Amino acid sequence: MYIKRLALAALLLGQLTAAHAQDEMWDKSASGRQHPNIQWFKEAKFGLFIHWGLYSKLGGVWNNKRYYGSGEWLMNQAKIPAATYAAEAANFNPVNFNAEAWAALAKDAGIRYMVITAKHHEGFAMYDSKVSDFNIVKASPYKKDPMKALANATRKQGIQFGFYYSQFLDWHEPNGGGNRWDFDESKKDYQRYYREKSIPQLKELMTQYGPLGIVWFDMPGGLTKQQTQQLVDSLRILQPNSLFSSRVGQGLGDYRDFGDSEVPPAPINEVWESIYTHNDSWGYIEHDMNFKSPREIIRLLANVASKGGNLMLNVGPDGKGNIPYYSEQYLKATGRWLAQNGESIYATSYGFIPAQPWGVTTAKPGKLYLHVLVRPQDGKLLLPNCKVAVTKVYTLIGKKPVAFSTAGADVIVQAPPMEAQSANTVLVLEYKGATPAYDAAAPVTISAQVPVNTIEAIHASTSDSARVKSLTYSHYFGDWKHAVCVTNMQGPADSASFKVRITEAADFKVILEYACGTESARQEGELQVNGKPYLFRTLRSSEFDKSNPLMFIQHAVAITTVSKPGVYTIVVRPLQQGKELFKLKSIRLEPVR
Ligand code: JFZ
């Protein structure tokens, strides 16, 4: 049967190259279909991404110059000639690579699936490829196939194993995508690249390394929708149980990948994954020590799970095959948290209670997990409009009963004392009856019991030409950041209004968090709290340019007195017609103590 599959695949693959090359922006056409094997992925919640290649040996340094941002893009950033770069393989010898140790670390970290770069844009295959000699067995003194060892070790730990493959960008090849410094783009034959390297290598990976949980394609290009469909059809024959990432292109992936380091601002009813670097680079950079702490990882994981997605966190091993110290230590720390709290993450869906000042929620049938990230001063965790019959509430660790009460449609949980430095304390609320729907239009809760309340732009109702948009920018290079902002507010008719539920009478300092370029600066704006106007004049922070930091300013514009609890409307708009007022990221309300 397997041989037949190969023959059929070869036939299909052969047909693939008939049509014309056409670069199509990937545009998911949600077809509602789900891969029959998707369930393990939906339950996995936490994956390990590994970027490991010839770039790892260079560590972000070329000709004694240090580069910052994506270390795996060094060849492109430094415009290294393909032949010069290829010669580096002769010094790539990861003698410290230990597949069993990597797999054991993934297990200790609570990782459920692993995806490693088999070939990145540099074109160097990290496995024993017969298609191209530019690989770790033929071109380096290491002469072994680390992917074979890692695939076996990973599966032995019960962890799904998969490959990342850059199916179009290949700076080593005259017909591959992306190398404009060595090769004339107008003379490239993408179809030839697909026919001679990309597709044959994908076949090698899908026939010689056992059952793959995931094939993580990256940067679709050069193929039409029909060709991509044929490629997907042919590869599925080789790996019918494997899930394909959405970056295969043309909406043909089995789950949705967001942009690098991007989390959707609210739950979405799709199967999706958020990918994050551990420091600021996917590939190893010796001078990038900006690692996310265990607290940041644990809270990021809770935030992603509370929106219904998976987090795949990346590590970038160095050229000797060592995983960076902080990656190892902080993955283990995350694993220790998951060992005690994993029930609130694995196999959960997003919680039906939206993010609150105290934290976020995940869920299983009849259970709501409260991830307490900020303990309110009075310990009261408000669950607004929580229309369920609560039977009990308890601490996840130790199962200690926790007091709760109801007030109308609200449930108030009395949080027990918590370790001040706890990254995330989980309480469990059990209930009878149907699970309510998530209310995306619920007012944002504002509490005087926490140091700061943040109203994100995603909650804005906009008028006229105002728009809520996700803005992408970077600090170094390729270290993408995303901010959802209210944009294009150019006159009084372009407003952003927010419905908030303020739970106590208090004075609040109002802080607008926005980015404002030179043209927008020094324009007057108006903030209204239930119609009471407060004026301000915009301050310059930075222009918006995706290749540079988008600098947000936190501009305190007013103190407002809230005389009684209730639902309020906060409106922000330009006072006069002019340039875009600013890109509003959030409104922060700090109770005046
Ligand atoms: C790509 C690669 O270029 C990068 O080196 C790394 O491997 C990353 C995981 O994937 O970078 C991308 C690709 C697509 C988007 C962002 C970064 N995107 O669609 O937003």
Side-chain angles (χ1 to χ4, degrees):
M1 179 55 190
Y2 198 61
I3 300 300
K4 274 189 183 168
R5 275 186 186 166
L6 278 179
L8 179 57
L11 174 67
L12 278 168
L13 288 168
Q15 289 164 353
L16 185 66
T17 55
H20 298 293
Q22 189 178 347
D23 199 2
E24 282 186 314
M25 282 303 290
W26 175 77
D27 164 31
K28 176 152 184 71
S29 51
S31 58
R33 55 159 175 72
Q34 279 204 345
H35 190 289
N37 201 31
I38 198 72
Q39 193 56 30
W40 76 260
F41 183 80
K42 290 167 77 170
E43 297 181 0
K45 309 307 283 184
F46 192 29
L48 181 64
F49 213 169
I50 302 177
H51 276 67
W52 194 37
L54 189 49
Y55 47 78
S56 309
K57 169 204 167 290
L58 302 173
V61 180
W62 185 256
N63 280 347
N64 295 317
K65 179 183 177 194
R66 280 177 296 279
Y67 290 79
Y68 290 78
S70 299
E72 71 285 358
W73 274 71
L74 178 65
M75 180 182 171
N76 184 299
Q77 284 202 80
K79 297 297 177 275
I80 304 169
T84 307
Y85 188 86
E88 290 297 319
N91 311 310
F92 179 42
N93 193 6
V95 293
N96 295 340
F97 169 67
N98 180 328
E100 305 294 337
W102 286 21
L105 172 60
K107 185 71 175 182
D108 290 348
I111 291 289
R112 294 293 169 86
Y113 60 100
M114 179 194 290
V115 173
I116 186 166
T117 49
K119 184 222 32 122
H120 205 269
H121 310 331
E122 63 180 7
F124 185 73
M126 288 295 286
Y127 71 96
D128 185 10
S129 173
K130 300 294 182 285
V131 173
S132 157
D133 285 350
F134 189 43
N135 72 67
I136 191 167
V137 172
K138 300 280 189 334
S140 93
Y142 188 65
K143 299 198 181 307
K144 288 176 284 185
D145 183 338
M147 300 297 114
K148 190 82 79 176
L150 188 60
N152 295 333
T154 302
R155 292 189 193 105
K156 266 195 312 197
Q157 293 286 359
I159 295 170
Q160 291 275 359
F161 179 79
F163 285 123
Y164 162 110
Y165 189 83
S166 173
Q167 74 266 31
F168 172 63
L169 291 183
D170 190 321
W171 305 323
H172 180 74
E173 302 293 342
N175 292 309
N179 181 336
R180 297 168 188 265
W181 57 95
D182 285 328
F183 311 117
D184 180 346
E185 202 68 17
S186 66
K187 295 191 175 60
K188 289 190 177 183
D189 178 352
Y190 293 149
Q191 292 312 303
R192 185 169 173 191
Y193 171 72
Y194 273 100
R195 185 172 63 245
E196 294 181 353
K197 182 169 180 179
S198 189
I199 291 170
Q201 285 199 326
L202 280 164
K203 276 175 64 179
E204 290 182 317
L205 293 167
M206 302 183 91
T207 53
Q208 296 165 22
Y209 292 86
L212 301 177
I214 290 174
V215 180
W216 210 92
F217 294 88
D218 194 21
M219 304 301 272
L223 287 185
T224 64
K225 182 164 180 90
Q226 183 202 12
Q227 287 173 318
T228 305
Q229 184 67 65
Q230 286 179 333
L231 171 63
V232 167
D233 294 347
S234 55
L235 298 178
R236 288 211 190 283
I237 289 163
L238 304 176
Q239 288 277 344
N241 294 328
S242 180
L243 303 177
F244 293 174
S245 78
S246 56
R247 287 189 198 166
V248 66
Q250 306 289 355
L252 296 176
D254 296 308
Y255 65 86
R256 181 175 176 183
D257 262 302
F258 277 81
D260 294 14
S261 306
E262 182 179 20
V263 181
I268 52 173
N269 276 318
E270 288 185 51
V271 183
W272 62 272
E273 173 186 69
S274 189
I275 56 171
Y276 269 78
T277 52
H278 188 197
N279 48 9
D280 290 323
S281 173
W282 301 101
Y284 176 71
I285 287 185
E286 65 185 31
H287 45 275
D288 179 345
M289 296 299 286
N290 183 32
F291 293 96
K292 294 168 182 69
S293 65
R295 180 185 186 86
E296 289 174 288
I297 298 169
I298 290 163
R299 291 160 87 104
L300 175 61
L301 183 57
N303 180 33
V304 168
S306 76
K307 308 271 184 8
N310 290 9
L311 171 66
M312 184 158 72
L313 183 69
N314 181 77
V315 297
D318 67 17
K320 284 295 177 203
N322 305 302
I323 288 180
Y325 171 79
Y326 291 109
S327 292
E328 181 172 358
Q329 295 304 312
Y330 293 175
L331 275 170
K332 285 180 176 174
T334 303
R336 287 192 294 273
W337 184 86
L338 280 167
Q340 290 192 296
N341 297 279
E343 176 190 329
S344 68
I345 298 288
Y346 300 124
T348 62
S349 59
Y350 56 79
F352 58 83
I353 296 292
Q356 296 299 310
W358 48 263
V360 296
T361 63
T362 55
K364 283 178 181 169
K367 286 184 179 180
L368 187 68
Y369 296 97
L370 316 182
H371 298 263
V372 184
L373 308 176
V374 179
R375 187 180 185 281
Q377 269 191 334
D378 62 3
K380 292 187 182 342
L381 309 180
L382 170 68
L383 283 73
N385 208 21
C386 183
K387 292 176 178 164
V388 292
V390 180
T391 54
K392 57 181 172 180
V393 182
Y394 51 91
T395 59
L396 178 58
I397 298 175
K399 305 289 187 279
K400 297 191 187 79
V402 171
F404 68 93
S405 60
T406 56
D410 297 338
V411 171
I412 296 103
V413 172
Q414 185 57 47
M418 295 172 179
E419 285 175 51
Q421 73 280 6
S422 163
N424 173 359
T425 302
V426 182
L427 305 179
V428 187
L429 179 150
E430 291 192 8
Y431 62 91
K432 289 253 181 285
T435 297
Y438 178 91
D439 180 1
V444 178
T445 304
I446 304 295
S447 165
Q449 301 297 323
V450 297
V452 62
N453 300 271
T454 302
I455 307 165
E456 301 288 355
I458 191 65
H459 298 292
S461 298
T462 56
S463 66
D464 221 67
S465 62
R467 292 290 181 274
V468 176
K469 281 178 71 176
S470 175
L471 304 177
T472 298
Y473 60 96
S474 58
H475 285 178
Y476 291 137
F477 173 90
D479 54 337
W480 300 112
K481 321 260 176 231
H482 307 272
V484 175
C485 296
V486 182
T487 63
N488 211 34
M489 290 191 276
Q490 298 178 4
D494 310 329
S495 68
S497 62
F498 302 83
K499 196 168 59 162
V500 299
R501 175 180 168 184
I502 303 178
T503 54
E504 299 96 352
D507 288 358
F508 288 91
K509 182 178 281 282
V510 184
I511 297 154
L512 300 181
E513 184 183 26
Y514 61 79
C516 182
T518 306
E519 273 203 340
S520 299
R522 303 171 70 82
Q523 294 188 109
E524 285 191 285
E526 179 186 59
L527 168 91
Q528 293 175 9
V529 179
N530 263 18
K532 182 173 172 42
Y534 302 87
L535 300 186
F536 61 89
R537 195 172 75 176
T538 54
L539 305 173
R540 186 163 63 85
S541 66
S542 84
E543 310 303 324
F544 171 46
D545 156 17
K546 73 178 179 60
S547 303
N548 281 290
L550 182 56
M551 308 301 281
F552 292 94
I553 189 169
Q554 295 194 15
H555 183 182
V557 295
I559 291 280
T560 185
T561 295
V562 171
S563 54
K564 62 183 176 26
V567 175
Y568 290 76
T569 298
I570 297 176
V571 179
V572 177
R573 64 182 183 167
L575 196 61
Q576 299 99 7
Q577 198 66 33
K579 299 291 185 187
E580 177 185 54
L581 190 63
F582 45 34
K583 298 183 191 303
L584 181 64
K585 184 169 183 280
S586 75
I587 302 175
R588 299 157 67 94
L589 295 179
E590 293 180 353
V592 175
R593 287 190 164 77

